[in-house]
PDB file of all heavy atoms in Angstrom:
ATOM      1  N   ILE C 165      -7.764  16.680   1.521  1.00 68.00           N
ATOM      2  CA  ILE C 165      -6.878  15.866   2.361  1.00 68.00           C
ATOM      3  C   ILE C 165      -7.520  14.521   2.740  1.00 68.00           C
ATOM      4  O   ILE C 165      -6.919  13.456   2.527  1.00 68.00           O
ATOM      5  CB  ILE C 165      -6.472  16.643   3.657  1.00 68.00           C
ATOM      6  CG1 ILE C 165      -5.785  17.957   3.278  1.00 68.00           C
ATOM      7  CG2 ILE C 165      -5.606  15.789   4.532  1.00 68.00           C
ATOM      8  CD1 ILE C 165      -4.459  17.804   2.591  1.00 68.00           C
ATOM      9  N   LEU C 166      -8.701  14.573   3.344  1.00 71.00           N
ATOM     10  CA  LEU C 166      -9.285  13.353   3.921  1.00 71.00           C
ATOM     11  C   LEU C 166      -9.601  12.320   2.858  1.00 71.00           C
ATOM     12  O   LEU C 166      -9.372  11.135   3.046  1.00 71.00           O
ATOM     13  CB  LEU C 166     -10.540  13.726   4.720  1.00 71.00           C
ATOM     14  CG  LEU C 166     -10.332  14.614   5.961  1.00 71.00           C
ATOM     15  CD1 LEU C 166     -11.623  14.833   6.678  1.00 71.00           C
ATOM     16  CD2 LEU C 166      -9.312  13.973   6.904  1.00 71.00           C
ATOM     17  N   SER C 167     -10.130  12.763   1.719  1.00 73.00           N
ATOM     18  CA  SER C 167     -10.520  11.815   0.680  1.00 73.00           C
ATOM     19  C   SER C 167      -9.312  11.019   0.131  1.00 73.00           C
ATOM     20  O   SER C 167      -9.381   9.769   0.035  1.00 73.00           O
ATOM     21  CB  SER C 167     -11.228  12.565  -0.468  1.00 73.00           C
ATOM     22  OG  SER C 167     -11.591  11.655  -1.479  1.00 73.00           O
ATOM     23  N   PRO C 168      -8.185  11.657  -0.218  1.00 74.00           N
ATOM     24  CA  PRO C 168      -7.034  10.879  -0.670  1.00 74.00           C
ATOM     25  C   PRO C 168      -6.485   9.948   0.391  1.00 74.00           C
ATOM     26  O   PRO C 168      -6.024   8.849   0.102  1.00 74.00           O
ATOM     27  CB  PRO C 168      -6.006  11.961  -1.041  1.00 74.00           C
ATOM     28  CG  PRO C 168      -6.795  13.174  -1.318  1.00 74.00           C
ATOM     29  CD  PRO C 168      -7.955  13.122  -0.397  1.00 74.00           C
ATOM     30  N   VAL C 169      -6.501  10.414   1.673  1.00 74.00           N
ATOM     31  CA  VAL C 169      -6.015   9.549   2.747  1.00 74.00           C
ATOM     32  C   VAL C 169      -6.876   8.302   2.906  1.00 74.00           C
ATOM     33  O   VAL C 169      -6.393   7.187   3.051  1.00 74.00           O
ATOM     34  CB  VAL C 169      -5.940  10.337   4.098  1.00 74.00           C
ATOM     35  CG1 VAL C 169      -5.636   9.398   5.260  1.00 74.00           C
ATOM     36  CG2 VAL C 169      -4.858  11.434   3.987  1.00 74.00           C
ATOM     37  N   LEU C 170      -8.208   8.494   2.832  1.00 76.00           N
ATOM     38  CA  LEU C 170      -9.105   7.355   2.969  1.00 76.00           C
ATOM     39  C   LEU C 170      -8.975   6.387   1.780  1.00 76.00           C
ATOM     40  O   LEU C 170      -8.993   5.183   1.957  1.00 76.00           O
ATOM     41  CB  LEU C 170     -10.568   7.841   3.073  1.00 76.00           C
ATOM     42  CG  LEU C 170     -10.946   8.561   4.371  1.00 76.00           C
ATOM     43  CD1 LEU C 170     -12.356   9.098   4.284  1.00 76.00           C
ATOM     44  CD2 LEU C 170     -10.804   7.631   5.560  1.00 76.00           C
ATOM     45  N   SER C 171      -8.799   6.950   0.576  1.00 75.00           N
ATOM     46  CA  SER C 171      -8.615   6.122  -0.593  1.00 75.00           C
ATOM     47  C   SER C 171      -7.364   5.275  -0.485  1.00 75.00           C
ATOM     48  O   SER C 171      -7.348   4.085  -0.796  1.00 75.00           O
ATOM     49  CB  SER C 171      -8.549   6.992  -1.861  1.00 75.00           C
ATOM     50  OG  SER C 171      -9.751   7.712  -2.016  1.00 75.00           O
ATOM     51  N   THR C 172      -6.252   5.894  -0.046  1.00 75.00           N
ATOM     52  CA  THR C 172      -5.006   5.160   0.128  1.00 75.00           C
ATOM     53  C   THR C 172      -5.129   4.136   1.249  1.00 75.00           C
ATOM     54  O   THR C 172      -4.508   3.079   1.156  1.00 75.00           O
ATOM     55  CB  THR C 172      -3.868   6.141   0.421  1.00 75.00           C
ATOM     56  OG1 THR C 172      -3.839   7.177  -0.563  1.00 75.00           O
ATOM     57  CG2 THR C 172      -2.526   5.423   0.420  1.00 75.00           C
ATOM     58  N   SER C 173      -5.906   4.448   2.279  1.00 76.00           N
ATOM     59  CA  SER C 173      -6.088   3.461   3.373  1.00 76.00           C
ATOM     60  C   SER C 173      -6.725   2.183   2.840  1.00 76.00           C
ATOM     61  O   SER C 173      -6.422   1.072   3.316  1.00 76.00           O
ATOM     62  CB  SER C 173      -6.986   4.084   4.447  1.00 76.00           C
ATOM     63  OG  SER C 173      -6.355   5.193   5.045  1.00 76.00           O
ATOM     64  N   LEU C 174      -7.621   2.314   1.849  1.00 76.00           N
ATOM     65  CA  LEU C 174      -8.232   1.119   1.250  1.00 76.00           C
ATOM     66  C   LEU C 174      -7.189   0.238   0.566  1.00 76.00           C
ATOM     67  O   LEU C 174      -7.253  -0.982   0.619  1.00 76.00           O
ATOM     68  CB  LEU C 174      -9.307   1.541   0.247  1.00 76.00           C
ATOM     69  CG  LEU C 174     -10.559   2.215   0.816  1.00 76.00           C
ATOM     70  CD1 LEU C 174     -11.480   2.622  -0.306  1.00 76.00           C
ATOM     71  CD2 LEU C 174     -11.268   1.255   1.774  1.00 76.00           C
ATOM     72  N   TYR C 175      -6.195   0.872  -0.085  1.00 75.00           N
ATOM     73  CA  TYR C 175      -5.091   0.116  -0.680  1.00 75.00           C
ATOM     74  C   TYR C 175      -4.321  -0.647   0.407  1.00 75.00           C
ATOM     75  O   TYR C 175      -3.940  -1.823   0.192  1.00 75.00           O
ATOM     76  CB  TYR C 175      -4.143   1.050  -1.432  1.00 75.00           C
ATOM     77  CG  TYR C 175      -4.601   1.518  -2.791  1.00 75.00           C
ATOM     78  CD1 TYR C 175      -5.064   2.815  -2.983  1.00 75.00           C
ATOM     79  CD2 TYR C 175      -4.607   0.661  -3.887  1.00 75.00           C
ATOM     80  CE1 TYR C 175      -5.505   3.256  -4.214  1.00 75.00           C
ATOM     81  CE2 TYR C 175      -5.021   1.059  -5.124  1.00 75.00           C
ATOM     82  CZ  TYR C 175      -5.475   2.389  -5.286  1.00 75.00           C
ATOM     83  OH  TYR C 175      -5.887   2.806  -6.507  1.00 75.00           O
ATOM     84  N   PHE C 176      -4.075   0.022   1.529  1.00 72.00           N
ATOM     85  CA  PHE C 176      -3.353  -0.663   2.579  1.00 72.00           C
ATOM     86  C   PHE C 176      -4.147  -1.827   3.150  1.00 72.00           C
ATOM     87  O   PHE C 176      -3.598  -2.872   3.451  1.00 72.00           O
ATOM     88  CB  PHE C 176      -3.047   0.313   3.719  1.00 72.00           C
ATOM     89  CG  PHE C 176      -1.927   1.278   3.419  1.00 72.00           C
ATOM     90  CD1 PHE C 176      -2.143   2.651   3.478  1.00 72.00           C
ATOM     91  CD2 PHE C 176      -0.679   0.817   3.083  1.00 72.00           C
ATOM     92  CE1 PHE C 176      -1.124   3.545   3.206  1.00 72.00           C
ATOM     93  CE2 PHE C 176       0.358   1.696   2.803  1.00 72.00           C
ATOM     94  CZ  PHE C 176       0.137   3.054   2.853  1.00 72.00           C
ATOM     95  N   ILE C 177      -5.469  -1.654   3.264  1.00 72.00           N
ATOM     96  CA  ILE C 177      -6.300  -2.718   3.782  1.00 72.00           C
ATOM     97  C   ILE C 177      -6.319  -3.927   2.817  1.00 72.00           C
ATOM     98  O   ILE C 177      -6.139  -5.060   3.250  1.00 72.00           O
ATOM     99  CB  ILE C 177      -7.737  -2.204   4.013  1.00 72.00           C
ATOM    100  CG1 ILE C 177      -7.735  -1.210   5.160  1.00 72.00           C
ATOM    101  CG2 ILE C 177      -8.683  -3.375   4.362  1.00 72.00           C
ATOM    102  CD1 ILE C 177      -9.069  -0.484   5.324  1.00 72.00           C
ATOM    103  N   VAL C 178      -6.471  -3.630   1.544  1.00 72.00           N
ATOM    104  CA  VAL C 178      -6.608  -4.713   0.554  1.00 72.00           C
ATOM    105  C   VAL C 178      -5.252  -5.331   0.242  1.00 72.00           C
ATOM    106  O   VAL C 178      -5.060  -6.563   0.355  1.00 72.00           O
ATOM    107  CB  VAL C 178      -7.265  -4.194  -0.735  1.00 72.00           C
ATOM    108  CG1 VAL C 178      -7.258  -5.261  -1.804  1.00 72.00           C
ATOM    109  CG2 VAL C 178      -8.682  -3.736  -0.472  1.00 72.00           C
ATOM    110  N   PHE C 179      -4.268  -4.494  -0.129  1.00 70.00           N
ATOM    111  CA  PHE C 179      -2.981  -4.999  -0.583  1.00 70.00           C
ATOM    112  C   PHE C 179      -2.008  -5.292   0.568  1.00 70.00           C
ATOM    113  O   PHE C 179      -1.268  -6.245   0.582  1.00 70.00           O
ATOM    114  CB  PHE C 179      -2.296  -4.038  -1.562  1.00 70.00           C
ATOM    115  CG  PHE C 179      -2.994  -3.956  -2.888  1.00 70.00           C
ATOM    116  CD1 PHE C 179      -3.902  -2.949  -3.157  1.00 70.00           C
ATOM    117  CD2 PHE C 179      -2.758  -4.902  -3.872  1.00 70.00           C
ATOM    118  CE1 PHE C 179      -4.523  -2.860  -4.360  1.00 70.00           C
ATOM    119  CE2 PHE C 179      -3.398  -4.849  -5.084  1.00 70.00           C
ATOM    120  CZ  PHE C 179      -4.283  -3.815  -5.340  1.00 70.00           C
ATOM    121  N   GLY C 180      -2.109  -4.408   1.598  1.00 63.00           N
ATOM    122  CA  GLY C 180      -1.149  -4.594   2.715  1.00 63.00           C
ATOM    123  C   GLY C 180      -1.574  -5.648   3.692  1.00 63.00           C
ATOM    124  O   GLY C 180      -0.813  -6.548   4.017  1.00 63.00           O
ATOM    125  N   ALA C 181      -2.811  -5.551   4.174  1.00 63.00           N
ATOM    126  CA  ALA C 181      -3.267  -6.461   5.214  1.00 63.00           C
ATOM    127  C   ALA C 181      -3.824  -7.772   4.667  1.00 63.00           C
ATOM    128  O   ALA C 181      -3.462  -8.845   5.107  1.00 63.00           O
ATOM    129  CB  ALA C 181      -4.340  -5.769   6.080  1.00 63.00           C
ATOM    130  N   ALA C 182      -4.713  -7.675   3.625  1.00 62.00           N
ATOM    131  CA  ALA C 182      -5.363  -8.873   3.131  1.00 62.00           C
ATOM    132  C   ALA C 182      -4.458  -9.692   2.211  1.00 62.00           C
ATOM    133  O   ALA C 182      -4.094 -10.827   2.507  1.00 62.00           O
ATOM    134  CB  ALA C 182      -6.651  -8.484   2.398  1.00 62.00           C
ATOM    135  N   ILE C 183      -4.062  -9.090   1.108  1.00 66.00           N
ATOM    136  CA  ILE C 183      -3.214  -9.820   0.129  1.00 66.00           C
ATOM    137  C   ILE C 183      -1.780  -9.921   0.618  1.00 66.00           C
ATOM    138  O   ILE C 183      -1.135 -10.952   0.465  1.00 66.00           O
ATOM    139  CB  ILE C 183      -3.275  -9.103  -1.241  1.00 66.00           C
ATOM    140  CG1 ILE C 183      -4.706  -9.120  -1.776  1.00 66.00           C
ATOM    141  CG2 ILE C 183      -2.307  -9.770  -2.224  1.00 66.00           C
ATOM    142  CD1 ILE C 183      -4.871  -8.384  -3.081  1.00 66.00           C
ATOM    143  N   GLY C 184      -1.280  -8.827   1.221  1.00 60.00           N
ATOM    144  CA  GLY C 184       0.155  -8.850   1.641  1.00 60.00           C
ATOM    145  C   GLY C 184       0.478  -9.940   2.636  1.00 60.00           C
ATOM    146  O   GLY C 184       1.602 -10.464   2.627  1.00 60.00           O
ATOM    147  N   SER C 185      -0.481 -10.275   3.527  1.00 63.00           N
ATOM    148  CA  SER C 185      -0.231 -11.327   4.500  1.00 63.00           C
ATOM    149  C   SER C 185      -0.062 -12.692   3.869  1.00 63.00           C
ATOM    150  O   SER C 185       0.465 -13.620   4.479  1.00 63.00           O
ATOM    151  CB  SER C 185      -1.371 -11.364   5.496  1.00 63.00           C
ATOM    152  OG  SER C 185      -2.603 -11.651   4.880  1.00 63.00           O
ATOM    153  N   ARG C 186      -0.498 -12.849   2.596  1.00 66.00           N
ATOM    154  CA  ARG C 186      -0.375 -14.141   1.928  1.00 66.00           C
ATOM    155  C   ARG C 186       0.769 -14.215   0.928  1.00 66.00           C
ATOM    156  O   ARG C 186       0.928 -15.207   0.278  1.00 66.00           O
ATOM    157  CB  ARG C 186      -1.733 -14.437   1.188  1.00 66.00           C
ATOM    158  CG  ARG C 186      -2.932 -14.524   2.104  1.00 66.00           C
ATOM    159  CD  ARG C 186      -4.200 -14.707   1.311  1.00 66.00           C
ATOM    160  NE  ARG C 186      -5.354 -14.740   2.209  1.00 66.00           N
ATOM    161  CZ  ARG C 186      -5.857 -15.867   2.741  1.00 66.00           C
ATOM    162  NH1 ARG C 186      -5.262 -17.020   2.440  1.00 66.00           N
ATOM    163  NH2 ARG C 186      -6.881 -15.818   3.527  1.00 66.00           N
ATOM    164  N   MET C 187       1.473 -13.096   0.804  1.00 70.00           N
ATOM    165  CA  MET C 187       2.592 -13.022  -0.127  1.00 70.00           C
ATOM    166  C   MET C 187       3.923 -13.025   0.633  1.00 70.00           C
ATOM    167  O   MET C 187       3.988 -12.636   1.778  1.00 70.00           O
ATOM    168  CB  MET C 187       2.494 -11.775  -0.999  1.00 70.00           C
ATOM    169  CG  MET C 187       1.289 -11.700  -1.882  1.00 70.00           C
ATOM    170  SD  MET C 187       1.267 -10.306  -2.988  1.00 70.00           S
ATOM    171  CE  MET C 187       2.684 -10.658  -4.022  1.00 70.00           C
ATOM    172  N   GLY C 188       4.963 -13.479  -0.053  1.00 69.00           N
ATOM    173  CA  GLY C 188       6.253 -13.523   0.545  1.00 69.00           C
ATOM    174  C   GLY C 188       6.959 -12.161   0.523  1.00 69.00           C
ATOM    175  O   GLY C 188       6.390 -11.187   0.016  1.00 69.00           O
ATOM    176  N   ASP C 189       8.131 -12.124   1.090  1.00 73.00           N
ATOM    177  CA  ASP C 189       8.882 -10.862   1.121  1.00 73.00           C
ATOM    178  C   ASP C 189       9.410 -10.557  -0.261  1.00 73.00           C
ATOM    179  O   ASP C 189       9.654 -11.416  -1.124  1.00 73.00           O
ATOM    180  CB  ASP C 189      10.049 -10.950   2.103  1.00 73.00           C
ATOM    181  CG  ASP C 189       9.568 -11.063   3.544  1.00 73.00           C
ATOM    182  OD1 ASP C 189       8.361 -10.867   3.772  1.00 73.00           O
ATOM    183  OD2 ASP C 189      10.397 -11.331   4.425  1.00 73.00           O
ATOM    184  N   ILE C 190       9.641  -9.252  -0.529  1.00 78.00           N
ATOM    185  CA  ILE C 190      10.263  -8.779  -1.749  1.00 78.00           C
ATOM    186  C   ILE C 190      11.554  -8.094  -1.365  1.00 78.00           C
ATOM    187  O   ILE C 190      11.525  -7.078  -0.669  1.00 78.00           O
ATOM    188  CB  ILE C 190       9.360  -7.843  -2.549  1.00 78.00           C
ATOM    189  CG1 ILE C 190       8.035  -8.493  -2.921  1.00 78.00           C
ATOM    190  CG2 ILE C 190      10.064  -7.309  -3.812  1.00 78.00           C
ATOM    191  CD1 ILE C 190       7.055  -7.590  -3.628  1.00 78.00           C
ATOM    192  N   GLU C 191      12.681  -8.680  -1.775  1.00 76.00           N
ATOM    193  CA  GLU C 191      14.000  -8.164  -1.461  1.00 76.00           C
ATOM    194  C   GLU C 191      14.151  -7.959   0.049  1.00 76.00           C
ATOM    195  O   GLU C 191      14.734  -6.976   0.518  1.00 76.00           O
ATOM    196  CB  GLU C 191      14.257  -6.857  -2.193  1.00 76.00           C
ATOM    197  CG  GLU C 191      14.206  -7.021  -3.717  1.00 76.00           C
ATOM    198  CD  GLU C 191      14.528  -5.734  -4.427  1.00 76.00           C
ATOM    199  OE1 GLU C 191      15.171  -4.825  -3.821  1.00 76.00           O
ATOM    200  OE2 GLU C 191      14.162  -5.604  -5.617  1.00 76.00           O
ATOM    201  N   GLY C 192      13.601  -8.917   0.822  1.00 78.00           N
ATOM    202  CA  GLY C 192      13.744  -8.891   2.248  1.00 78.00           C
ATOM    203  C   GLY C 192      12.773  -7.971   2.980  1.00 78.00           C
ATOM    204  O   GLY C 192      12.889  -7.780   4.185  1.00 78.00           O
ATOM    205  N   VAL C 193      11.816  -7.390   2.244  1.00 82.00           N
ATOM    206  CA  VAL C 193      10.827  -6.496   2.833  1.00 82.00           C
ATOM    207  C   VAL C 193       9.442  -7.112   2.654  1.00 82.00           C
ATOM    208  O   VAL C 193       9.104  -7.608   1.585  1.00 82.00           O
ATOM    209  CB  VAL C 193      10.871  -5.102   2.152  1.00 82.00           C
ATOM    210  CG1 VAL C 193       9.877  -4.157   2.790  1.00 82.00           C
ATOM    211  CG2 VAL C 193      12.279  -4.542   2.219  1.00 82.00           C
ATOM    212  N   SER C 194       8.621  -7.082   3.699  1.00 81.00           N
ATOM    213  CA  SER C 194       7.263  -7.599   3.585  1.00 81.00           C
ATOM    214  C   SER C 194       6.491  -6.857   2.518  1.00 81.00           C
ATOM    215  O   SER C 194       6.714  -5.651   2.321  1.00 81.00           O
ATOM    216  CB  SER C 194       6.559  -7.528   4.944  1.00 81.00           C
ATOM    217  OG  SER C 194       6.296  -6.167   5.278  1.00 81.00           O
ATOM    218  N   TYR C 195       5.574  -7.522   1.873  1.00 82.00           N
ATOM    219  CA  TYR C 195       4.871  -6.904   0.769  1.00 82.00           C
ATOM    220  C   TYR C 195       4.089  -5.666   1.209  1.00 82.00           C
ATOM    221  O   TYR C 195       4.059  -4.653   0.522  1.00 82.00           O
ATOM    222  CB  TYR C 195       3.914  -7.897   0.108  1.00 82.00           C
ATOM    223  CG  TYR C 195       3.209  -7.325  -1.097  1.00 82.00           C
ATOM    224  CD1 TYR C 195       3.882  -7.158  -2.288  1.00 82.00           C
ATOM    225  CD2 TYR C 195       1.863  -6.950  -1.043  1.00 82.00           C
ATOM    226  CE1 TYR C 195       3.266  -6.599  -3.399  1.00 82.00           C
ATOM    227  CE2 TYR C 195       1.217  -6.389  -2.130  1.00 82.00           C
ATOM    228  CZ  TYR C 195       1.939  -6.231  -3.323  1.00 82.00           C
ATOM    229  OH  TYR C 195       1.326  -5.695  -4.422  1.00 82.00           O
ATOM    230  N   GLY C 196       3.463  -5.760   2.377  1.00 79.00           N
ATOM    231  CA  GLY C 196       2.709  -4.606   2.873  1.00 79.00           C
ATOM    232  C   GLY C 196       3.574  -3.371   3.051  1.00 79.00           C
ATOM    233  O   GLY C 196       3.175  -2.258   2.748  1.00 79.00           O
ATOM    234  N   ALA C 197       4.786  -3.549   3.570  1.00 83.00           N
ATOM    235  CA  ALA C 197       5.709  -2.451   3.735  1.00 83.00           C
ATOM    236  C   ALA C 197       6.316  -2.029   2.417  1.00 83.00           C
ATOM    237  O   ALA C 197       6.578  -0.816   2.203  1.00 83.00           O
ATOM    238  CB  ALA C 197       6.823  -2.843   4.731  1.00 83.00           C
ATOM    239  N   PHE C 198       6.524  -2.971   1.526  1.00 87.00           N
ATOM    240  CA  PHE C 198       7.157  -2.686   0.241  1.00 87.00           C
ATOM    241  C   PHE C 198       6.342  -1.690  -0.590  1.00 87.00           C
ATOM    242  O   PHE C 198       6.917  -0.882  -1.312  1.00 87.00           O
ATOM    243  CB  PHE C 198       7.336  -3.999  -0.540  1.00 87.00           C
ATOM    244  CG  PHE C 198       8.085  -3.826  -1.818  1.00 87.00           C
ATOM    245  CD1 PHE C 198       9.483  -3.817  -1.841  1.00 87.00           C
ATOM    246  CD2 PHE C 198       7.410  -3.707  -3.038  1.00 87.00           C
ATOM    247  CE1 PHE C 198      10.168  -3.655  -3.057  1.00 87.00           C
ATOM    248  CE2 PHE C 198       8.095  -3.559  -4.221  1.00 87.00           C
ATOM    249  CZ  PHE C 198       9.467  -3.530  -4.227  1.00 87.00           C
ATOM    250  N   ILE C 199       5.002  -1.784  -0.496  1.00 85.00           N
ATOM    251  CA  ILE C 199       4.177  -0.929  -1.367  1.00 85.00           C
ATOM    252  C   ILE C 199       3.935   0.459  -0.773  1.00 85.00           C
ATOM    253  O   ILE C 199       3.360   1.337  -1.441  1.00 85.00           O
ATOM    254  CB  ILE C 199       2.818  -1.582  -1.656  1.00 85.00           C
ATOM    255  CG1 ILE C 199       2.005  -1.736  -0.344  1.00 85.00           C
ATOM    256  CG2 ILE C 199       3.006  -2.922  -2.345  1.00 85.00           C
ATOM    257  CD1 ILE C 199       0.598  -2.246  -0.587  1.00 85.00           C
ATOM    258  N   ILE C 200       4.387   0.709   0.440  1.00 87.00           N
ATOM    259  CA  ILE C 200       4.158   2.039   1.085  1.00 87.00           C
ATOM    260  C   ILE C 200       4.741   3.168   0.225  1.00 87.00           C
ATOM    261  O   ILE C 200       4.010   4.136  -0.044  1.00 87.00           O
ATOM    262  CB  ILE C 200       4.686   2.061   2.510  1.00 87.00           C
ATOM    263  CG1 ILE C 200       3.856   1.183   3.422  1.00 87.00           C
ATOM    264  CG2 ILE C 200       4.726   3.501   3.050  1.00 87.00           C
ATOM    265  CD1 ILE C 200       4.391   1.039   4.843  1.00 87.00           C
ATOM    266  N   PRO C 201       5.995   3.124  -0.192  1.00 89.00           N
ATOM    267  CA  PRO C 201       6.530   4.225  -0.999  1.00 89.00           C
ATOM    268  C   PRO C 201       5.758   4.410  -2.295  1.00 89.00           C
ATOM    269  O   PRO C 201       5.524   5.552  -2.738  1.00 89.00           O
ATOM    270  CB  PRO C 201       7.975   3.816  -1.264  1.00 89.00           C
ATOM    271  CG  PRO C 201       8.325   2.864  -0.145  1.00 89.00           C
ATOM    272  CD  PRO C 201       7.059   2.146   0.116  1.00 89.00           C
ATOM    273  N   GLY C 202       5.362   3.309  -2.922  1.00 88.00           N
ATOM    274  CA  GLY C 202       4.599   3.405  -4.161  1.00 88.00           C
ATOM    275  C   GLY C 202       3.249   4.041  -3.989  1.00 88.00           C
ATOM    276  O   GLY C 202       2.815   4.861  -4.809  1.00 88.00           O
ATOM    277  N   LEU C 203       2.563   3.693  -2.900  1.00 86.00           N
ATOM    278  CA  LEU C 203       1.257   4.285  -2.648  1.00 86.00           C
ATOM    279  C   LEU C 203       1.356   5.751  -2.290  1.00 86.00           C
ATOM    280  O   LEU C 203       0.506   6.578  -2.708  1.00 86.00           O
ATOM    281  CB  LEU C 203       0.568   3.543  -1.487  1.00 86.00           C
ATOM    282  CG  LEU C 203       0.058   2.144  -1.823  1.00 86.00           C
ATOM    283  CD1 LEU C 203      -0.520   1.457  -0.591  1.00 86.00           C
ATOM    284  CD2 LEU C 203      -1.010   2.209  -2.909  1.00 86.00           C
ATOM    285  N   ILE C 204       2.398   6.131  -1.577  1.00 89.00           N
ATOM    286  CA  ILE C 204       2.584   7.551  -1.266  1.00 89.00           C
ATOM    287  C   ILE C 204       2.857   8.328  -2.544  1.00 89.00           C
ATOM    288  O   ILE C 204       2.283   9.407  -2.775  1.00 89.00           O
ATOM    289  CB  ILE C 204       3.757   7.755  -0.257  1.00 89.00           C
ATOM    290  CG1 ILE C 204       3.370   7.145   1.101  1.00 89.00           C
ATOM    291  CG2 ILE C 204       4.090   9.220  -0.122  1.00 89.00           C
ATOM    292  CD1 ILE C 204       4.510   7.196   2.119  1.00 89.00           C
ATOM    293  N   MET C 205       3.684   7.755  -3.423  1.00 89.00           N
ATOM    294  CA  MET C 205       3.995   8.412  -4.697  1.00 89.00           C
ATOM    295  C   MET C 205       2.702   8.526  -5.561  1.00 89.00           C
ATOM    296  O   MET C 205       2.497   9.523  -6.257  1.00 89.00           O
ATOM    297  CB  MET C 205       5.068   7.651  -5.457  1.00 89.00           C
ATOM    298  CG  MET C 205       6.453   7.976  -5.034  1.00 89.00           C
ATOM    299  SD  MET C 205       6.861   9.674  -5.517  1.00 89.00           S
ATOM    300  CE  MET C 205       8.425   9.891  -4.611  1.00 89.00           C
ATOM    301  N   LEU C 206       1.897   7.464  -5.554  1.00 87.00           N
ATOM    302  CA  LEU C 206       0.661   7.476  -6.323  1.00 87.00           C
ATOM    303  C   LEU C 206      -0.219   8.663  -5.959  1.00 87.00           C
ATOM    304  O   LEU C 206      -0.732   9.363  -6.820  1.00 87.00           O
ATOM    305  CB  LEU C 206      -0.081   6.157  -6.128  1.00 87.00           C
ATOM    306  CG  LEU C 206      -1.402   5.983  -6.872  1.00 87.00           C
ATOM    307  CD1 LEU C 206      -1.188   6.010  -8.378  1.00 87.00           C
ATOM    308  CD2 LEU C 206      -2.101   4.706  -6.451  1.00 87.00           C
ATOM    309  N   SER C 207      -0.392   8.892  -4.678  1.00 85.00           N
ATOM    310  CA  SER C 207      -1.186  10.018  -4.187  1.00 85.00           C
ATOM    311  C   SER C 207      -0.468  11.334  -4.399  1.00 85.00           C
ATOM    312  O   SER C 207      -1.084  12.346  -4.778  1.00 85.00           O
ATOM    313  CB  SER C 207      -1.527   9.846  -2.711  1.00 85.00           C
ATOM    314  OG  SER C 207      -2.320   8.701  -2.513  1.00 85.00           O
ATOM    315  N   LEU C 208       0.847  11.361  -4.123  1.00 89.00           N
ATOM    316  CA  LEU C 208       1.612  12.587  -4.191  1.00 89.00           C
ATOM    317  C   LEU C 208       1.622  13.168  -5.604  1.00 89.00           C
ATOM    318  O   LEU C 208       1.443  14.374  -5.788  1.00 89.00           O
ATOM    319  CB  LEU C 208       3.034  12.311  -3.722  1.00 89.00           C
ATOM    320  CG  LEU C 208       3.922  13.545  -3.443  1.00 89.00           C
ATOM    321  CD1 LEU C 208       3.428  14.275  -2.194  1.00 89.00           C
ATOM    322  CD2 LEU C 208       5.362  13.170  -3.288  1.00 89.00           C
ATOM    323  N   LEU C 209       1.847  12.312  -6.593  1.00 90.00           N
ATOM    324  CA  LEU C 209       1.917  12.825  -7.981  1.00 90.00           C
ATOM    325  C   LEU C 209       0.567  13.376  -8.429  1.00 90.00           C
ATOM    326  O   LEU C 209       0.519  14.473  -8.988  1.00 90.00           O
ATOM    327  CB  LEU C 209       2.350  11.707  -8.923  1.00 90.00           C
ATOM    328  CG  LEU C 209       3.687  11.024  -8.681  1.00 90.00           C
ATOM    329  CD1 LEU C 209       4.050  10.076  -9.794  1.00 90.00           C
ATOM    330  CD2 LEU C 209       4.799  12.049  -8.483  1.00 90.00           C
TER     331      LEU C 209
END
C-alpha cells in the first residue's frame, strides 16, 4: 500500500504542482487535476 501511494505522490509533486502550475487548462480542467484519474488508473491496473 504505502509504496504505490508514495510513488504516485511523486507524480503529483512533479506533474501536478511543479509542471502543472506552468501549463494551461485542458478542456477547462487544470492540468494537475486532469491527470488525477490517469494516475489512479496507472496504479490501479
Side-chain angles (χ1 to χ4, degrees):
I165 301 295
L166 296 182
S167 180
V169 171
L170 290 175
S171 299
T172 307
S173 297
L174 292 177
Y175 282 106
F176 285 123
I177 293 171
V178 174
F179 290 98
I183 298 177
S185 61
R186 299 175 181 269
M187 296 185 65
D189 293 350
I190 301 177
E191 299 183 21
V193 181
S194 68
Y195 184 73
F198 184 84
I199 65 173
I200 290 174
L203 287 176
I204 293 175
M205 278 292 170
L206 180 63
S207 296
L208 192 70
L209 301 188

